[in-house]
Amino acid sequence: MPTIKKILVANRGEIALRVMRTAREMGISTVAVFSEADRNAPHVKYADEAVCIGPPPSKESYLLGDKIIAVAQSLGVDAIHPGYGFLSENAGFSKAVKEAGLIFIGPSPESIEIMGDKLSSKHAVASYNIPMVPGTPDAITDRVAAKAKAAEIGYPILIKASAGGGGKGMRVVEREEEFDEQMDRAVGEAISAFGNGSCFIEKYITKPKHIEIQVMGDQHGNVVYLFERECSIQRRHQKVIEEAPSSVLTPAIREAMGICAVNVAKACNYYGAGTVEFIVDENLDFYFLEMNTRLQVEHPVTELITGVDLVKEMIHVAEGKPLSMKQEDLQIKGHSIEVRVCAEDPANNFLPNVGTLQTYVRPQGNGVRVDDGIEEGMEIPIYYDPMIAKLISYGDTRTEAIEKMIRAIDEFKITGVATTLPFCKFALRHEAFVSGNFDTRFVSLYFTPEVLEEEADKTELEIVAVLAAELMKHKNKPKVADNGSALVNNVSQWRKNRAKLR
Ligand code: MV4
């Protein structure tokens, strides 16, 4: 069985550091690759060795699989970890790594290939009794037949590109009269974005929660699930806040989803870390959407509630070792929330806001984890994803995790670039979030730039209230501050449904 002694991380920023930290804990030495824009980046300084692979644009650096493999071979690297994004879900890269005699710390090229296409993933799981949204099992070739099917399902329906991702090639159709136009758009978008125009239709779930299950498999056919992450707070298909566990799942639904996720993984002989994505409707019925064959941005919330280091486990299974845990060893302890700190201005339609980080002071203390790849004084490169840090809180209960997160957001001092932190604070304090009664429409339903100002006013009012209460204490008898929110009486729809299911 090969033992990995040296890992090259084919990525940058926070995830490169995240992977290298675990490697170092395991006594494995690390190689960073970097573009000219990242010469002084923390991931380059942290690595034992670092090699410049090209100019700033990703296509000339972080996406150059062959060049990265050549660097690995020249430095005596045993294994390559791809992180997320870039080459992480590129079956050709995973295959080329293997063929170069190196270990790819991730799934097989075949698993990536099958799950990279929504229709082929649906076919792969067909014999496993996985609940799926009513729809067409194959690409639409005959529009008359497709419209008949849509009428049978009932409008609104959703047209999805099989190769799709990030909402590209996805179109809602409200009425049959719009079908052809929306179909043309979806196909056109899919061809230009993915070079593959195949599309299928599904019933449109109008108020879905996005809930995903973390799975981990080894090369001996064992797969476990590490529970769910609730990722419904999204904007333009970019997740902004994630948490684990979900506040609406019952133990029975959690187990049913977990078993489904394990079966999805087994359907493609999966090994490594993976995520099975579901949507959950208002009745708490869940449907398999797709599988992501990588370590995800939001993996830390799962690590905090399970105590499992997912990167360590990925390295173990890449070496051919069996999973270090069985399903019955896993349990949820506590609650964790992650907010993505992006260099985007929430007051200005979340426009990317690059510049120099004048001030960068991280929050600290009990129940707070910060995963980042930047430091004070750095210029945020325009070439890559605008996410500059992940702020993660952990507490015994959901309320505690929210309280710690708000405290941590207040401690986080960033100047020089606008960030999504004020939006995150707004969301964490919103009644819908606090009650658990929210779905993927959260941002469009509740957020306008004005709420950020109201939020600032609210904070001021609270300070006044606290001061007033202090004064009263000294003047009269102690008075219990009434900070109990209106939420106590506001029973969420999601929770009501949960109660019915018990
Ligand atoms: C859906 C859906 C509703 N019904 N599928 C979005 C990303 C991709 N992974 C799947 N997505 C969705 N799939 C069915 N059958 C709702 C979403 C969805 C969404 C759709 C349109 C506009 C914004 C959205 C935000 C989150 C999820």
Side-chain angles (χ1 to χ4, degrees):
M1 208 175 281
T3 305
I4 295 172
K5 296 192 186 68
K6 193 174 194 176
I7 289 177
L8 180 149
V9 182
N11 216 299
R12 64 180 299 281
E14 69 89 15
I15 196 62
L17 277 162
R18 161 72 194 86
V19 171
M20 290 193 284
R21 287 201 160 100
T22 286
R24 186 163 288 177
E25 287 167 14
M26 296 171 77
I28 297 169
S29 65
T30 55
V31 177
V33 290
F34 62 95
S35 75
E36 285 160 17
D38 283 338
R39 208 166 272 290
N40 300 311
H43 84 275
V44 176
K45 295 180 195 158
Y46 191 91
D48 298 310
E49 293 168 271
V51 178
C52 183
I53 48 169
S58 303
K59 281 192 174 151
E60 298 170 47
S61 51
Y62 296 107
L63 287 172
L64 293 177
D66 292 340
K67 189 158 186 180
I68 291 169
I69 290 168
V71 167
Q73 286 177 315
S74 75
L75 294 180
V77 161
D78 304 304
I80 297 182
H81 195 301
Y84 52 69
F86 296 127
L87 297 163
S88 61
E89 292 176 280
N90 183 320
F93 179 67
S94 144
K95 192 154 177 265
V97 170
K98 250 190 191 173
E99 284 168 0
L102 304 170
I103 296 171
F104 180 75
I105 304 175
S108 70
E110 294 77 20
S111 300
I112 298 175
E113 183 92 39
I114 292 171
M115 292 301 164
D117 183 275
K118 293 186 177 63
L119 282 172
S120 83
S121 73
K122 284 178 191 251
H123 282 287
V125 307
S127 62
Y128 285 81
N129 198 25
I130 310 292
M132 284 189 263
V133 188
T136 49
D138 293 296
I140 296 165
T141 48
D142 176 349
R143 292 206 185 181
V144 176
K147 281 185 212 169
K149 182 72 188 178
E152 180 194 321
I153 294 168
Y155 286 89
I157 58 115
L158 192 58
I159 302 174
K160 288 186 178 180
S162 190
K168 284 216 184 76
M170 202 160 74
R171 291 279 160 180
V172 178
V173 189
E174 302 282 352
R175 293 178 291 278
E176 183 163 318
E177 300 83 82
E178 297 167 7
F179 190 96
D180 285 307
E181 187 192 335
Q182 297 293 32
M183 184 74 198
D184 291 340
R185 288 197 184 167
V187 171
E189 223 168 272
I191 290 172
S192 74
F194 316 111
N196 170 2
S198 32
C199 290
F200 58 97
I201 63 179
E202 275 180 2
K203 180 174 179 57
Y204 183 50
I205 309 292
T206 52
K207 299 170 186 173
K209 266 183 170 291
H210 171 138
I211 297 182
E212 58 187 34
I213 307 286
Q214 176 71 53
V215 295
M216 181 67 78
D218 64 23
Q219 298 186 50
H220 309 279
N222 305 301
V223 184
V224 295
Y225 64 89
L226 293 98
F227 313 106
E228 77 277 10
R229 291 185 289 260
E230 149 65 64
C231 307
S232 299
I233 313 267
Q234 322 198 352
R235 222 197 125 268
R236 288 200 214 119
H237 300 289
Q238 290 293 317
K239 295 165 186 161
V240 192
I241 302 180
E242 307 98 348
E243 65 178 315
S246 155
S247 63
V248 300
L249 295 191
T250 62
I253 298 173
R254 174 170 295 122
E255 187 184 354
M257 290 178 78
I259 291 168
C260 273
V262 165
N263 283 330
V264 168
K266 288 188 170 168
C268 64
N269 302 310
Y270 201 84
Y271 54 81
T275 297
V276 181
E277 196 180 306
F278 294 91
I279 48 179
V280 178
D281 69 16
E282 289 168 286
N283 302 319
L284 298 184
D285 287 325
F286 61 88
Y287 308 95
F288 166 63
L289 283 190
E290 56 191 270
M291 181 171 190
N292 299 316
T293 57
R294 61 173 188 274
L295 181 69
Q296 301 216 159
V297 173
E298 59 272 25
H299 76 276
V301 296
T302 300
E303 297 191 316
L304 291 177
I305 65 153
T306 60
V308 174
D309 179 332
L310 289 169
V311 173
K312 186 172 184 179
E313 205 59 31
M314 288 179 87
I315 294 170
H316 273 303
V317 304
E319 288 179 320
K321 295 188 176 113
L323 283 176
S324 70
M325 79 291 266
K326 295 196 166 24
Q327 190 63 53
E328 53 270 29
D329 301 332
L330 289 163
Q331 57 182 63
I332 298 174
K333 185 170 177 292
H335 198 99
S336 180
I337 303 175
E338 172 180 284
V339 308
R340 297 192 188 188
V341 185
C342 299
E344 294 172 343
D345 187 357
N348 193 6
N349 202 25
F350 292 85
L351 228 66
N353 197 269
V354 288
T356 303
L357 270 183
Q358 239 87 47
T359 320
Y360 185 74
V361 181
R362 298 171 183 88
Q364 299 186 346
N366 193 14
V368 174
R369 166 173 166 181
V370 182
D371 280 20
D372 64 20
I374 49 159
E375 51 198 27
E376 198 167 88
M378 245 182 81
E379 181 105 18
I380 311 294
I382 57 165
Y383 302 95
Y384 316 111
D385 190 276
M387 190 180 81
I388 54 177
K390 305 189 306 206
L391 174 56
I392 307 127
S393 74
Y394 175 77
D396 285 341
T397 62
R398 185 168 189 265
T399 304
E400 221 178 273
I402 293 173
E403 287 165 357
K404 285 187 191 301
M405 181 62 85
I406 291 171
R407 184 268 291 172
I409 289 174
D410 287 339
E411 278 180 34
F412 218 147
K413 299 287 179 243
I414 303 177
T415 66
V417 295
T419 75
T420 45
L421 279 173
F423 165 78
C424 293
K425 184 173 173 184
F426 156 78
L428 286 159
R429 287 153 55 113
H430 195 281
E431 176 274 322
F433 183 82
V434 174
S435 67
N437 186 19
F438 63 93
D439 54 56
T440 53
R441 300 169 309 153
F442 182 91
V443 177
S444 61
L445 282 181
Y446 307 121
F447 183 74
T448 60
E450 290 76 57
V451 301
L452 295 175
E453 284 157 39
E454 287 162 25
E455 203 64 18
D457 293 346
K458 206 152 83 187
T459 308
E460 245 164 66
L461 279 176
E462 275 168 2
I463 293 167
V464 173
V466 169
L467 288 174
E470 281 299 309
L471 283 171
M472 291 297 283
K473 256 193 225 170
H474 298 293
K475 251 186 144 180
N476 298 317
K477 287 181 282 183
K479 204 175 167 181
V480 181
D482 177 26
N483 65 349
S485 60
L487 302 167
V488 178
N489 299 319
N490 185 339
V491 181
S492 106
Q493 203 58 44
W494 292 96
R495 280 175 191 271
K496 254 194 270 177
N497 287 336
R498 174 188 163 134
K500 270 189 276 179
L501 283 158
R502 258 205 251 263

